[in-house]
Amino acid sequence: MQYMSPQLTAEFEYLTTRLEGMIEKVSNLPTDAQESPVGKSFSPVQAIEHMYVTEKSYTDYAKKTDPAKLKGRKGKPNFIYNFVLKGMNRPVGSNLPTPGMFQPKDGLSLEESSQKWRDERASLMEYLKKFNDNDACLKNPLMGWFSPRDLYVLMERHQDYHDARLPN
């Protein structure tokens, strides 16, 4: 059985370090800045909850994916994946619409959202460790079959997008 490579594991670990940096950046903002929308985007606290909600969707998709359908399959996201990645390259001030299922709805505190995001990331990492970098690990209903590498690219780009939109 193949497992995620040390290189991709290290990339995910670095992304988790960035998760902590994003949480710290938000926690260091004055309370009013934490809770105020940034332009037409989420408030920084909502952005943290949104990151949790989005990553929870990946673990939910993994749980719904039939393991028998993963055997011998490589990750192969469809054109929507590339469309989403391209959209997240937009300059700051130009926002990508967020589908309703990924909207922060629970009004969680920064501490609650941060802990849920950490827990979701840890759960996702535990799941991904048992897959080869390019083997299919879950089926996203909108974007197709993801490998751990595909998921990493999406998660990194998503975090880049929201990091860039936090106030300094």
Side-chain angles (χ1 to χ4, degrees):
M1 178 176 239
Q2 294 283 335
Y3 296 98
M4 197 161 57
S5 71
Q7 178 186 347
L8 186 55
T9 300
E11 289 177 60
F12 269 112
E13 287 169 358
Y14 178 69
L15 195 58
T16 299
T17 300
R18 289 189 50 212
L19 170 155
E20 293 299 336
M22 188 173 175
I23 292 169
E24 183 176 346
K25 185 174 182 179
V26 172
S27 69
N28 287 334
L29 293 170
T31 304
D32 62 322
Q34 288 180 15
E35 297 172 1
S36 298
V38 180
K40 294 182 180 181
S41 191
F42 300 128
S43 73
V45 170
Q46 288 174 318
I48 300 296
E49 183 177 348
H50 164 71
M51 296 298 287
Y52 150 66
V53 169
T54 302
E55 290 188 23
K56 182 178 184 324
S57 75
Y58 306 144
T59 54
D60 289 347
Y61 297 149
K63 290 173 189 171
K64 291 176 184 174
T65 300
D66 180 357
K69 292 187 177 180
L70 296 173
K71 298 264 189 255
R73 186 183 292 267
K74 297 292 182 192
K76 189 175 181 191
N78 63 29
F79 72 97
I80 296 172
Y81 174 86
N82 291 322
F83 179 76
V84 169
L85 290 179
K86 185 178 177 185
M88 284 192 275
N89 281 335
R90 291 178 178 213
V92 175
S94 171
N95 297 318
L96 199 59
T98 303
M101 61 206 256
F102 301 123
Q103 295 276 346
K105 295 180 185 92
D106 294 335
L108 301 175
S109 69
L110 176 59
E111 294 75 23
E112 292 168 318
S113 293
S114 298
Q115 192 56 54
K116 285 181 177 279
W117 189 17
R118 287 180 184 110
D119 292 347
E120 210 56 53
R121 175 70 60 87
S123 176
L124 188 58
M125 291 310 309
E126 197 57 40
Y127 174 77
L128 294 176
K129 284 180 186 177
K130 59 187 173 189
F131 293 93
N132 188 315
D133 294 6
N134 298 308
D135 287 347
C137 63
L138 63 88
K139 184 169 186 190
N140 181 300
L142 298 174
M143 295 187 259
W145 295 97
F146 281 10
S147 68
R149 169 61 61 197
D150 300 324
L151 195 53
Y152 170 79
V153 170
L154 183 61
M155 290 168 62
E156 180 188 43
R157 193 78 52 88
H158 187 223
Q159 194 159 337
D160 290 347
Y161 177 87
H162 287 288
D163 273 340
R165 282 154 178 77
L166 290 177
N168 291 321

